[in-house]
Amino acid sequence: MSDTVEMAPLDEAGPRRVRVDLGPRGYDIEIGRGVFDGAGARLEALFPGARFAVISDETVARLHLPAFRKSLEAHGLGHVALTVPAGEASKCFAQYERLCDAVLDARLERGDVIVALGGGVVGDLAGFVAASVRRGMAFVQVPTTLLAQVDSSVGGKTGINARQGKNLIGAFYQPALVLADTGILDSLPPRDFRAGYAEVVKYGLLGDAVFFAWLEENWKAVFAGGPERDEAVARSCLAKAEVVAADEYEAGRRALLNLGHTFGHALEAAVAYETERLVHGEGVAIGMTLAHEFSARLGLLDTLDVERITHHLKEVGLPTQITDIPGQMPPAETLMDTIAQDKKVSRGALTFILTRGIGQAFVERGVDPDAVRTFLEEKLHP
Amino acid sequence: MSDTVEMAPLDEAGPRRVRVDLGPRGYDIEIGRGVFDGAGARLEALFPGARFAVISDETVARLHLPAFRKSLEAHGLGHVALTVPAGEASKCFAQYERLCDAVLDARLERGDVIVALGGGVVGDLAGFVAASVRRGMAFVQVPTTLLAQVDSSVGGKTGINARQGKNLIGAFYQPALVLADTGILDSLPPRDFRAGYAEVVKYGLLGDAVFFAWLEENWKAVFAGGPERDEAVARSCLAKAEVVAADEYEAGRRALLNLGHTFGHALEAAVAYETERLVHGEGVAIGMTLAHEFSARLGLLDTLDVERITHHLKEVGLPTQITDIPGQMPPAETLMDTIAQDKKVSRGALTFILTRGIGQAFVERGVDPDAVRTFLEEKLHP
């Protein structure tokens, strides 16, 4: 912990536990090194007599599936393993249908369990399968990326991509348990860890200035994998859990979690989701910078805050400008089309997450599309 | 109304209204002649400023879509009409994907409305589309068959069929309104009306002996289309609404609504869903007879009750025996395979709805598969 920025300590003994308080749909997130190895014991206790379908992608299956299966087998838990190709392209109708079919072929019943072992793509896809096979099976998230641990595995948003944009088909469907092993993140490529870190920064920027300041001082330890990493993951999950508990179905406040995401999604679409050019967290890093710059342009925010945020994202190695993306970008009009089709649009008016300062984001409905277009044109051709 | 069997009168003035009491997800079912023509006014009042996607099948589109669109246009409600081929085969992944894509192409937003104009196939399919596009859009059911009015449009079960069986992929997703025009049923082929009537009988058999007796006396008026028809539809919706309100996600009591459906589904699968041989309601009529015969075989039920039920189903023109189905049937083992894969199975034990008398159905978990197999063998080769 930093000696200049103090946060209230979380429980320090053993894995940290964050509760997502959704009444009958509430669940625990267990965070720490070694949580993975205890998976079999936890699942046996939570789902006595159940069978499991473990869904992962080819990369995760190679790295982590043998150990996970061993943990299940040590407790005599029957299971099938289903694997999709790595990458965003697997969040599609074809893989969704293939997985539903495989789960039914394995004769899993309503009380049986779908386990998502992987990153955000696997979690979103497997979650939608769990939501819809037999109109809902039990679901467990075992996120293996930082992005999934602090964002996509928490809160119950599941889904696949459509031709028209990301995550446009899906369900709100809560897991029964999330097992977030922070030690497993040691095997992540640095670029993927950085991308996930963008979402950690987001929680500071949207509502917790103390956490942002703590990250400025402690980010190297978070990257290196000390107790600061567990702290950052737990703090992020806690922030998300609070927002989700207040607004499970995104009627209002939950939209705050989209800070940086409207711009970010448009940029991902603009590069046709080519991850060589841009991964999701990088899009969020640029998108958050743009959201703060746009807020400053509207006179809501001090430009010193923009500089501070930009400085931190840059020092960890994240991109902050559209011009940081390699290759040709489409015209502003193409980005606007994606933004207009984004599901955060309501009745033709644009909804953006804007901010009045670090930790002071808010939902603004009715943003002027012309102002956004002009802003994007300048950012595309500075 | 019969002068020998009295039921508590429902509100007689104007359309009858049945409330499905699910708290924030509660909604009204409006039942009566002419409800259809008032659709535009009702939708304008309930969804000011919204746009609509009206999903129907080719048969319904030909008969009813022009009048429905006229009602929307009279109130200036923007809409697109989307049509699928008539028949159970449209409850498939391909049509689901095509409709999701079309709704997104029409740029409908989260507050906009999916309308299911049609029978059970259209309602189940459109409901799953509504449940999953943008993780949930507003949804309205305008059922045009008796089956849909008394069963599938009420209670929020949506979904499509899988290779392994019917309705194995879907969501619990409640409509915001159901408009059940009983006059529209005048255009139904008699065979379809009869099939829907099997589900009306089901409500009597599962929990309301007075209603069953009333149907025995008044069925001709229900078929002819007098106020008795409105009464029968309202009484059925009320029965279903009560069960659904008590058990929205089918954790227990809601399974009662499956009376006759486990056998019925197996028979539908056995004829490969060829509607020339068997439609759903006919499968339910045979399935209900089998459930009562099997209950009698177990000593739970008087055979006089079986005879009374069989007599009534026969007099309205419904089949009651497996041998009533034209063509060759598969061996009992094939039917057992479908029953075992049915989602009403839990941990290998068979769950059936059995009965101790007319109006006294109950959920029996742990039915002996061998007893069912032997029973089916006898029914296949009497």
Side-chain angles (χ1 to χ4, degrees):
Chain A
M1 293 283 285
S2 153
D3 53 3
T4 54
V5 180
E6 284 295 340
M7 296 196 301
L10 292 154
D11 180 11
E12 294 286 344
R16 292 153 199 249
R17 187 167 296 181
V18 172
R19 180 78 187 167
V20 184
D21 187 8
L22 290 168
R25 291 183 304 290
Y27 53 95
D28 287 332
I29 310 164
E30 296 182 11
I31 300 156
R33 285 190 175 261
V35 160
F36 191 85
D37 300 323
R42 281 297 279 126
L43 295 176
E44 185 184 25
L46 202 57
F47 305 103
R51 294 173 62 229
F52 298 82
V54 183
I55 298 177
S56 60
D57 70 28
E58 285 161 7
T59 306
V60 172
R62 189 163 33 78
L63 290 170
H64 304 299
L65 187 58
F68 192 79
R69 297 185 74 155
K70 191 174 286 181
S71 178
L72 294 183
E73 280 156 11
H75 293 264
L77 305 181
H79 64 277
V80 291
L82 306 170
T83 304
V84 298
E88 187 77 24
S90 284
K91 275 176 66 174
C92 64
F93 278 102
Q95 289 295 343
Y96 167 69
E97 177 175 356
R98 191 181 71 84
L99 289 172
C100 288
D101 185 66
V103 169
L104 289 169
D105 262 353
R107 302 207 160 204
L108 264 67
E109 298 165 5
R110 212 187 243 177
D112 291 335
V113 186
I114 307 286
V115 178
L117 174 67
V121 167
V122 165
D124 287 1
L125 175 62
F128 188 38
V129 171
S132 37
V133 172
R134 299 174 189 277
R135 297 198 190 95
M137 302 182 57
F139 179 45
V140 168
Q141 290 264 21
V142 185
T144 59
T145 67
L146 179 57
L147 180 75
Q149 291 189 355
V150 298
D151 182 26
S152 55
S153 72
V154 179
K157 280 195 182 181
T158 71
I160 57 177
N161 300 328
R163 199 167 45 80
Q164 296 84 354
K166 286 182 72 168
N167 300 320
L168 289 174
I169 312 290
F172 288 97
Y173 196 71
Q174 303 294 341
L177 177 70
V178 181
L179 296 174
D181 191 318
T182 50
I184 224 172
L185 305 181
D186 295 342
S187 66
L188 274 190
R191 188 184 172 201
D192 286 351
F193 192 93
R194 275 199 304 271
Y197 183 77
E199 298 276 1
V200 175
V201 171
K202 185 187 77 176
Y203 294 108
L205 294 180
L206 73 85
D208 190 344
V210 172
F211 184 41
F212 181 74
W214 183 87
L215 288 170
E216 288 180 307
E217 294 194 21
N218 294 279
W219 68 271
K220 284 183 183 164
V222 173
F223 276 65
E228 289 84 356
R229 182 186 287 173
D230 294 4
E231 179 77 12
V233 171
R235 187 87 175 189
S236 299
C237 287
L238 194 60
K240 178 149 188 182
E242 282 173 359
V243 173
V244 168
D247 180 20
E248 182 175 2
Y249 300 107
E250 198 166 19
R253 189 177 156 208
R254 182 163 180 168
L256 282 180
L257 297 174
N258 292 321
L259 175 63
H261 281 62
T262 302
F263 285 126
H265 280 166
L267 296 172
E268 286 184 88
V271 302
Y273 302 103
E274 284 179 21
T275 52
E276 300 77 18
R277 296 176 66 190
L278 189 74
V279 294
H280 176 68
E282 292 167 348
V284 170
I286 299 173
M288 289 193 298
T289 310
L290 294 178
H292 283 76
E293 288 179 338
F294 187 68
S295 298
R297 164 97 39 126
L298 296 176
L300 294 165
L301 181 75
D302 196 314
T303 54
L304 285 176
D305 280 343
V306 179
E307 284 167 27
R308 189 176 153 199
I309 294 158
T310 310
H311 173 77
H312 182 55
L313 293 172
K314 275 186 182 167
E315 75 180 333
V316 307
L318 282 164
T320 59
Q321 295 297 320
I322 298 180
T323 48
D324 290 339
I325 303 169
Q328 193 77 26
M329 290 300 283
E333 206 47 48
T334 305
L335 298 177
M336 289 303 293
D337 275 350
T338 313
I339 287 169
Q341 174 63 6
D342 197 278
K343 66 190 170 307
K344 287 170 278 298
V345 172
S346 177
R347 305 274 152 84
L350 298 184
T351 296
F352 272 86
I353 313 307
L354 300 180
T355 181
R356 295 194 179 84
I358 291 171
Q360 297 177 58
F362 65 98
V363 182
E364 174 63 44
R365 307 186 194 280
V367 169
D368 175 14
D370 288 337
V372 179
R373 189 180 295 105
T374 305
F375 173 71
L376 282 175
E377 272 161 6
E378 292 176 26
K379 301 307 293 184
L380 281 161
H381 311 288
Chain B
M1 294 283 287
S2 154
D3 52 2
T4 55
V5 179
E6 283 295 340
M7 296 196 302
L10 292 153
D11 179 12
E12 295 285 345
R16 292 154 198 247
R17 188 167 295 183
V18 172
R19 179 79 187 168
V20 185
D21 187 9
L22 291 167
R25 292 182 304 290
Y27 53 95
D28 287 332
I29 310 164
E30 295 181 12
I31 300 156
R33 286 192 174 259
V35 159
F36 190 86
D37 300 322
R42 281 298 278 126
L43 294 175
E44 185 184 25
L46 202 57
F47 305 103
R51 296 173 62 231
F52 298 81
V54 182
I55 297 176
S56 60
D57 70 27
E58 285 161 7
T59 306
V60 173
R62 188 163 34 78
L63 290 170
H64 305 301
L65 187 59
F68 192 78
R69 297 184 74 156
K70 192 175 284 181
S71 179
L72 294 182
E73 280 156 11
H75 293 265
L77 305 181
H79 64 278
V80 291
L82 306 171
T83 305
V84 299
E88 187 77 25
S90 284
K91 276 176 66 174
C92 64
F93 278 103
Q95 289 296 343
Y96 168 68
E97 176 175 356
R98 191 181 72 84
L99 289 173
C100 288
D101 187 66
V103 169
L104 289 169
D105 262 353
R107 301 206 162 205
L108 264 67
E109 298 164 5
R110 212 185 243 176
D112 291 335
V113 186
I114 307 285
V115 177
L117 174 67
V121 167
V122 165
D124 287 1
L125 175 62
F128 189 37
V129 171
S132 38
V133 172
R134 299 176 189 276
R135 296 198 189 95
M137 302 182 57
F139 179 45
V140 168
Q141 291 264 21
V142 185
T144 59
T145 66
L146 179 56
L147 180 76
Q149 291 189 355
V150 299
D151 182 27
S152 56
S153 72
V154 178
K157 280 195 180 179
T158 72
I160 57 177
N161 300 328
R163 196 167 46 80
Q164 295 84 355
K166 285 182 71 169
N167 300 319
L168 289 174
I169 312 289
F172 287 97
Y173 196 70
Q174 302 294 342
L177 178 70
V178 181
L179 296 175
D181 191 318
T182 50
I184 226 173
L185 305 181
D186 294 342
S187 66
L188 275 190
R191 187 183 173 202
D192 287 350
F193 192 93
R194 274 198 303 272
Y197 182 79
E199 298 277 2
V200 175
V201 171
K202 185 187 76 175
Y203 294 108
L205 293 181
L206 73 85
D208 190 344
V210 173
F211 184 42
F212 180 73
W214 182 87
L215 288 170
E216 287 180 307
E217 293 196 21
N218 294 278
W219 67 271
K220 284 182 183 165
V222 173
F223 276 65
E228 289 84 355
R229 181 187 288 172
D230 295 4
E231 179 77 11
V233 171
R235 189 87 176 190
S236 298
C237 288
L238 194 60
K240 179 150 188 181
E242 282 173 0
V243 173
V244 168
D247 179 19
E248 183 175 2
Y249 300 107
E250 198 167 20
R253 190 178 154 204
R254 182 163 180 168
L256 282 180
L257 297 173
N258 292 320
L259 176 62
H261 281 61
T262 302
F263 285 125
H265 281 167
L267 296 172
E268 286 185 86
V271 301
Y273 301 103
E274 283 179 22
T275 52
E276 299 78 17
R277 297 177 65 190
L278 189 75
V279 294
H280 176 69
E282 292 167 349
V284 170
I286 300 173
M288 289 193 298
T289 310
L290 295 177
H292 283 75
E293 288 180 337
F294 187 67
S295 298
R297 165 96 42 125
L298 296 175
L300 295 164
L301 180 75
D302 196 312
T303 53
L304 285 175
D305 281 343
V306 178
E307 284 168 28
R308 188 174 154 201
I309 294 158
T310 310
H311 173 77
H312 182 55
L313 293 173
K314 276 186 183 167
E315 75 180 333
V316 307
L318 282 164
T320 59
Q321 294 297 320
I322 298 180
T323 49
D324 291 339
I325 303 169
Q328 192 78 26
M329 291 299 283
E333 206 47 48
T334 305
L335 297 177
M336 290 303 292
D337 276 350
T338 312
I339 287 169
Q341 174 63 7
D342 195 280
K343 66 190 171 308
K344 287 169 277 296
V345 172
S346 178
R347 305 276 152 83
L350 298 184
T351 296
F352 272 86
I353 313 307
L354 300 180
T355 181
R356 295 194 181 85
I358 290 170
Q360 298 178 59
F362 64 98
V363 182
E364 174 63 44
R365 307 184 195 283
V367 169
D368 175 14
D370 288 338
V372 178
R373 188 182 295 106
T374 305
F375 173 71
L376 282 174
E377 272 161 5
E378 291 176 27
K379 302 306 294 184
L380 281 160
H381 312 287

